[in-house]
Amino acid sequence: MTQSNSPRPNVSRPDLSRGRSYLAIPGPSVMPDRVLNAMHRAAPNIYAGDLTEMVAAMWPDLRAVAGTTQHVAAYIGNGHAGWEAANANLFSRGDLVLVLSTGRFGIGWAESARAMGVEVELMDFGTQAPVDMGRVEARLRQDREGRIKAVLTTHVDTSSSIRTDIPALRAAMDAARHPALLCVDCIASLGCDEYHMDAWGIDLTVAASQKGLMTPPGMCFVWFSEKAREAGAKSDLRTPYWDWRKRAEPEEFWQYWAGTAPTHHLFGLREALSMLHEEGMANVWARHEVLARTVWAAFDAWGAGHPRIGLNVADPIYRSRAVTAARLGAPDATRLREWTEREAGVTLGIGLGMALPSDPAWHGFLRVAHMGHVNAHMTLGALAVMEAGMIALNIPHGPGALDAAAKIIAAG
Ligand SMILES: *Cc1c(COP(=O)(O)O)cnc(C)c1O
């Protein structure tokens, strides 16, 4: 027998999706093996021992990741649960809040508050524009009686990938001399985009486990300032389960959770926080920045001379470092997503909130996540696979995207 000289074995098309798949959607994000391995263990005692000691030691790290030394309450729940926890502890029926929306998730928080009996004034900036701080300041100045109890916004709206300039929002509130609480949804951005809760004068931060925190979905966190604690002391929306008081200052271990702890999630989270700490938050943010710019560079090249292809957010200042929303023209975004998953093992994010799923235009949007446990080869690989898909599907695009992306990585 000799080796066959045919260029390859006789199969019409090999399955090139074999190997480790890559879920490049904006949450749940890639879980590090270290996190998964930490969770692979027998059920622990929930009354004493390893778990209880670990959690007590972990709480300062959980505060640090949000840049605060103030209070934190944790819940078994997803991001929606985090919104509800924040609302329940801060507000009473009939309180007025101002919600600044730059996409689907800002609207989601507004809907959650409204459904709980809070009066919501929604300032909707659409899906392509940043928050207009001048409008916010003017509205707050108008509110002479100080009826607006809080300003709620997303740091990154994951649907549009717009990033809100939180220090500029703080400055606008200060310029209006308005006492409202500043409350920020960091579910998509914590552990990806630079954020300093205390230094930036933020009163409340919400995040969940499954994005930058690299842990399976199922835990959410509400960090709150002393000012928020006092402002919410008389909330009439608070119910026993959502009450943050005992969770933030438990006398017994079960009170952290109002019941049984999310045992294995906690072992995973412990490992994830250690990984962030080892890397250092400044490095974590810088890594996300470079990976984001890699994706932007590829889209700029693909879109040159092909206006159907482009990034959703024009100005890089207002772009998320965790996720990039883009358009490809319908139905090519859906075709490409299906191709990359089926043929190459890369799952891209659907376009969210850019069109109704029933609208043919919906198939023109997608999102590329670069969130959490992601490195250069993963992002370059995803981009190269996207380019292969565009070639295979005859989607017209500009040249040089991979070269541009590689140059960003090379420059660091
Ligand atoms: C993911 C996300 C949510 C919702 O979180 P769930 O865990 O899906 O409930 C809310 N806000 C932002 C900014 C998000 O990225």
Side-chain angles (χ1 to χ4, degrees), residues 105-411:
F105 289 99
I107 291 170
W109 198 356
E111 287 168 346
S112 163
R114 192 174 279 140
M116 292 170 78
V118 176
E119 192 184 325
V120 172
E121 183 174 321
L122 182 64
M123 217 181 248
D124 190 347
F125 298 93
T127 56
Q128 289 196 294
V131 169
D132 177 343
M133 298 304 168
R135 265 182 71 193
V136 176
E137 185 183 329
R139 176 63 188 95
L140 292 173
R141 279 187 195 281
Q142 254 177 22
D143 181 35
R144 296 223 173 72
E145 316 88 90
R147 269 212 67 211
I148 296 171
K149 182 154 184 186
V151 175
L152 275 45
T153 196
T154 49
H155 185 208
V156 163
D157 197 301
T158 325
S159 60
S160 61
S161 72
I162 294 172
R163 185 173 73 166
T164 297
D165 184 343
I166 301 295
L169 176 57
R170 176 75 264 169
M173 293 172 70
D174 291 347
R177 297 177 191 277
H178 199 287
L181 300 164
L182 173 52
C183 304
V184 185
D185 171 347
C186 289
I187 297 171
S189 55
L190 196 78
C192 306
D193 276 275
E194 184 168 4
Y195 187 76
H196 307 273
M197 175 165 162
D198 289 353
W200 289 357
I202 295 152
D203 293 299
L204 181 138
T205 304
V206 185
S209 51
Q210 78 273 22
K211 298 188 183 180
L213 295 179
M214 308 180 288
T215 304
M219 269 192 299
C220 62
F221 312 95
V222 180
W223 294 260
F224 53 101
S225 68
E226 183 57 22
K227 179 179 165 189
R229 190 186 66 75
E230 284 165 17
K234 296 207 175 68
S235 160
D236 69 12
L237 294 177
R238 194 184 280 114
T239 53
Y241 183 79
W242 296 107
D243 193 341
W244 65 20
R245 291 174 295 195
K246 282 286 187 300
R247 289 173 185 265
E249 285 175 54
E251 283 145 28
E252 295 175 50
F253 185 71
W254 67 272
Q255 292 172 324
Y256 275 113
W257 318 102
T260 305
T263 51
H264 287 67
H265 275 75
L266 286 166
F267 290 116
L269 181 67
R270 168 67 277 173
E271 199 62 27
L273 291 173
S274 296
M275 290 175 70
L276 291 173
H277 183 73
E278 286 162 21
E279 187 177 354
M281 289 311 288
N283 290 316
V284 170
W285 296 326
R287 172 168 55 83
H288 282 84
E289 167 98 24
V290 172
L291 296 178
R293 284 199 281 114
T294 305
V295 175
W296 306 343
F299 270 96
D300 286 346
W302 286 327
H306 298 270
R308 278 161 61 92
I309 302 180
L311 297 172
N312 186 50
V313 186
D315 186 340
I317 293 173
Y318 299 116
R319 290 181 193 156
S320 161
R321 272 57 175 166
V323 57
T324 296
R327 60 175 193 283
L328 227 67
D332 287 344
T334 296
R335 290 173 71 221
L336 183 63
R337 277 194 304 101
E338 290 172 354
W339 191 94
T340 62
E341 182 165 58
R342 188 180 64 241
E343 303 291 339
V346 174
T347 303
L348 301 169
I350 60 168
L352 194 65
M354 309 305 282
L356 289 175
S358 55
D359 181 346
W362 189 86
H363 297 285
F365 301 99
L366 57 71
R367 290 172 301 161
V368 183
H370 27 92
M371 168 188 282
H373 191 56
V374 180
N375 61 19
H377 84 72
M378 294 162 81
T379 297
L380 286 178
L383 295 171
V385 160
M386 290 173 72
E387 173 130 341
M390 290 188 213
I391 294 167
L393 298 170
N394 290 314
I395 298 173
H397 59 279
L402 299 180
D403 193 49
K407 285 191 173 115
I408 302 282
I409 296 294

Side-chain angles (χ1 to χ4, degrees), residues 4 34 67 70 93 102 128 183 191 217 315 354:
S4 160
R34 276 177 65 178
Q70 302 184 70
R93 273 171 199 78
T102 55
Q128 289 196 294
C183 304
D315 186 340
M354 309 305 282

